[in-house]
Amino acid sequence: MIPELLFFYLNKEEPSKSCLLTLRAIILKQDVNITETRKYGMPCFCYFKKIFCYLWTDKKTSDPYILMAEGVLLSHPKLKKGNRSRMKILQIKASEDLDIQIIETILQEALNLYTKGIITL
């Protein structure tokens, strides 16, 4: 992990720190072609160098969320669009158990956009 990203994770307070690190592991294990970098000061995950998703925290609650780069093409009911034109977020409660099945379902649905050629690499 690059030092700037390590600092991002370790600089967070618990339980957000542990939650973010767990989300990172879940994202990276979805496919061997997912890599991690830093964009706009936040962890960014790419599939074959194409932006896939980001991890960030809510300013008010400090709870993490996964920002799906092509969220507009995803229809899962747990994803929220807000006032974004292209991206959607999956909000996570750091103090609660992660629903890994929902997280992995959303990540796999997003990966399918790339693997099926809906989003060109």
Side-chain angles (χ1 to χ4, degrees), residues 25-32 34 52 104-105 107-108 111:
I26 292 169
I27 293 167
L28 289 172
K29 82 171 193 164
Q30 297 306 303
D31 191 287
V32 296
I34 295 176
F52 174 63
E104 288 184 339
T105 297
L107 292 172
Q108 284 300 313
L111 270 176

Side-chain angles (χ1 to χ4, degrees), residues 37-113:
T37 187
R38 183 178 173 194
K39 294 203 185 281
Y40 312 110
M42 64 179 108
C44 175
F45 299 88
C46 299
Y47 183 73
F48 284 108
K49 298 185 180 182
K50 186 87 171 176
I51 295 174
F52 174 63
C53 67
Y54 298 89
L55 282 178
W56 199 240
T57 55
D58 184 271
K59 291 178 184 176
K60 294 179 185 174
T61 66
S62 295
D63 280 332
Y65 61 87
I66 302 173
L67 181 65
M68 303 306 298
E70 301 295 340
V72 70
L73 300 174
L74 302 171
S75 61
H76 197 282
K78 291 285 186 178
L79 290 172
K80 306 295 179 208
K81 185 176 178 190
N83 60 1
R84 298 168 193 85
S85 61
R86 186 175 131 219
M87 300 184 183
K88 289 184 182 178
I89 65 168
L90 174 63
Q91 297 172 311
I92 308 289
K93 291 279 188 190
S95 59
E96 297 177 7
D97 289 342
L98 293 176
D99 191 333
I100 295 173
Q101 183 176 2
I102 288 175
I103 295 167
E104 288 184 339
T105 297
I106 291 169
L107 292 172
Q108 284 300 313
E109 185 180 337
L111 270 176
N112 286 340
L113 297 173

